[in-house]
Amino acid sequence: MKKVIEIQNIKRNFQVGDETVHALRGVSFNINEGEFVTIMGTSGSGKSTLLNILGCLDTPTSGEYLLDDIPVRTMSKPQRAVLRNRKIGFVFQSYNLLPKTTAVENVELPLVYRGVDRKTRHKLAVESLTMVGLEKRMDHRPNEMSGGQQQRVAIARAIAAQPPVILADEPTGNLDSASSKEILQILKSMHEQGKTVILITHDNGIAAQARRVVRIMDGKIESDFINKNYGKEEYI
């Protein structure tokens, strides 16, 4: 099975005054194409630092990160931005939608940056919004939609370009329990369709929704296991 993500002995240090903070202390793991993985950790565990590295927003102090076989660590910031746009579909806790544009225009935006022609990007945006059940809300702006609907727009935006990886950062953090279930079900559906989904969370109940759970603590991998209950019961 193809490896989409390879993390090899990643360390990330930050200098805070005279003190060196070791946010990541030699993290290693692989994620294969088509996996549904939760990376779980509490505040201060190194989870956010790892998220930034996975999302090509930051680079490790040492170690190697390969995204779809491309080495990331030595890339410049502009190079990482191009790679991120082509390889990762982001879903954020705060949706990050443009407030004055419609759902379909929000979904089209990353495709504009990729140079996709107008007709094709509109077609892809419509298909993605239909996949998440928003075919009747395409012309609505964010302030005309519920939180759950806005997050579905964010998921549609993430999958429109068909990137190898969908990276969801606390995607249910601002939602009620009913909307959270809807969003998690969509992410599960993406996985069942063969997409690689990585879900970042601090919540045990959310983490239990994934097929594989990687727990991080004090900058190290505490555990990495297959969830035997995946698909058998609801946790939230």
Side-chain angles (χ1 to χ4, degrees):
M1 191 173 291
K2 181 183 177 182
K3 296 175 184 176
V4 179
I5 283 177
E6 294 183 63
I7 295 286
Q8 303 169 1
N9 196 29
I10 287 291
K11 297 179 181 179
R12 184 64 172 101
N13 303 330
F14 297 96
Q15 199 67 32
V16 181
D18 295 331
E19 182 183 359
T20 300
V21 177
H22 302 281
L24 295 176
R25 301 169 179 264
V27 172
S28 299
F29 63 88
N30 299 324
I31 295 177
N32 293 326
E33 188 175 50
E35 280 199 274
F36 183 11
V37 182
T38 290
I39 296 176
M40 195 227 166
T42 57
S43 178
S45 63
K47 167 174 56 68
S48 296
T49 302
L50 181 57
L51 164 69
N52 288 337
I53 289 173
L54 290 173
C56 299
L57 299 168
D58 190 17
T59 53
T61 303
S62 63
E64 292 297 333
Y65 171 30
L66 278 73
L67 173 58
D68 211 18
D69 293 326
I70 299 171
V72 177
R73 187 171 68 87
T74 57
M75 279 186 166
S76 67
K77 192 172 182 178
Q79 288 174 327
R80 295 200 314 271
V82 171
L83 182 67
R84 181 168 62 247
N85 182 257
R86 295 186 177 276
K87 298 294 184 180
I88 299 174
F90 270 103
V91 183
F92 300 95
Q93 179 177 346
S94 55
Y95 323 136
N96 283 18
L97 303 179
L98 295 177
K100 296 183 179 181
T101 58
T102 64
V104 71
E105 289 168 340
N106 267 287
V107 175
E108 285 183 26
L109 188 59
L111 301 172
V112 174
Y113 296 142
R114 291 190 64 174
V116 178
D117 66 86
R118 191 172 189 174
K119 184 177 179 180
T120 302
R121 70 178 182 249
H122 184 76
K123 177 177 179 288
L124 291 170
V126 168
E127 289 175 352
S128 297
L129 286 164
T130 300
M131 285 179 66
V132 298
L134 289 179
E135 59 273 14
K136 296 182 180 179
R137 296 275 181 172
M138 294 189 190
D139 295 322
H140 286 64
R141 291 176 171 78
N143 64 359
E144 299 171 320
M145 292 183 284
S146 68
Q149 289 169 339
Q150 291 182 61
Q151 193 60 291
R152 280 191 269 168
V153 173
I155 292 174
R157 180 182 57 192
I159 65 176
Q162 301 178 344
V165 175
I166 298 170
L167 183 57
D169 179 20
E170 303 276 6
T172 62
N174 290 334
L175 303 177
D176 59 37
S177 60
S179 296
S180 294
K181 287 182 180 179
E182 290 179 3
I183 296 306
L184 287 167
Q185 190 54 54
I186 290 171
L187 293 174
K188 286 181 181 180
S189 297
M190 298 294 103
H191 163 243
E192 289 163 4
Q193 293 166 22
K195 298 187 183 300
T196 306
V197 180
I198 303 172
L199 174 61
I200 311 294
T201 186
H202 68 279
D203 187 292
N204 280 303
I206 301 298
Q209 300 295 312
R211 188 175 185 277
R212 176 181 165 197
V213 180
V214 177
R215 296 182 185 272
I216 186 169
M217 179 178 286
D218 297 329
K220 297 180 180 180
I221 299 296
E222 182 187 34
S223 61
D224 183 348
F225 62 92
I226 299 299
N227 178 14
K228 295 180 180 178
N229 290 316
Y230 178 73
K232 294 182 180 180
E233 60 181 291
E234 294 292 337
Y235 290 81
I236 63 171

